[in-house]
Amino acid sequence: MRVEYINPFVTAVLSVFRTMLGTELVRGQPFVKGGFQPRHQISGVIGLSGKARGTIVLSLDRETALRATEVLTQEHRFTIDADVIDAVGELANMIAGSAKAKLEQFELSVSLPSVITGKGHCIEFPSNTTPICIPFDCEWGSVDVEVGLVELPVRSAVTSGVPVLA
């Protein structure tokens, strides 16, 4: 995956956490994601489609998810509940939407977020996609952004002798 596909997501997560949550993230070393399990207990998942396709995952450890929700709702949280799930989904949505604006050449559509909780949950990326994990730390704990995005081949105007309307 090309770095110009990753940078919009790095910029987006830094911006969203700074402006919406009032906390600074410190980026760790990105790595190629192996396997289907995120490192943390709660993940917001967004699908992307258009001239590229892929999946974006915002994965937070328990304490980070609780504290982020507390900032957004102004209510203290002790457990991962419906409000925490909604908050993680909304954060994932903001990050994907912000990154989408910087990837205009792909004319991307962003799916509604899904949120998965629990230790050991699995997230499958589209075939032929090698996701990159960008780890971050903040005062509350850890956050990962996993990006698996692949540019689709350009379709020619004629396929198998049958004209294709654009």
Side-chain angles (χ1 to χ4, degrees), residues 11-31:
T11 302
V13 72
L14 291 170
S15 176
V16 166
F17 271 71
R18 182 181 307 115
T19 59
M20 299 303 297
L21 302 174
T23 190
E24 295 293 328
L25 294 177
V26 176
R27 192 186 80 176
Q29 184 64 40
F31 59 91

Side-chain angles (χ1 to χ4, degrees), residues 6-7 10 16-17 27 35 58 78 81 89 91 115 119-121 124 131-132 134-137 143 150 156-157 164:
I6 303 292
N7 285 338
V10 171
V16 166
F17 271 71
R27 192 186 80 176
L58 173 67
F78 297 100
D81 60 14
L91 290 169
V115 178
K119 290 183 179 181
H121 65 270
E124 191 168 339
I132 303 294
I134 306 115
F136 297 89
D137 286 308
V143 176
V150 63
S156 65
V164 177

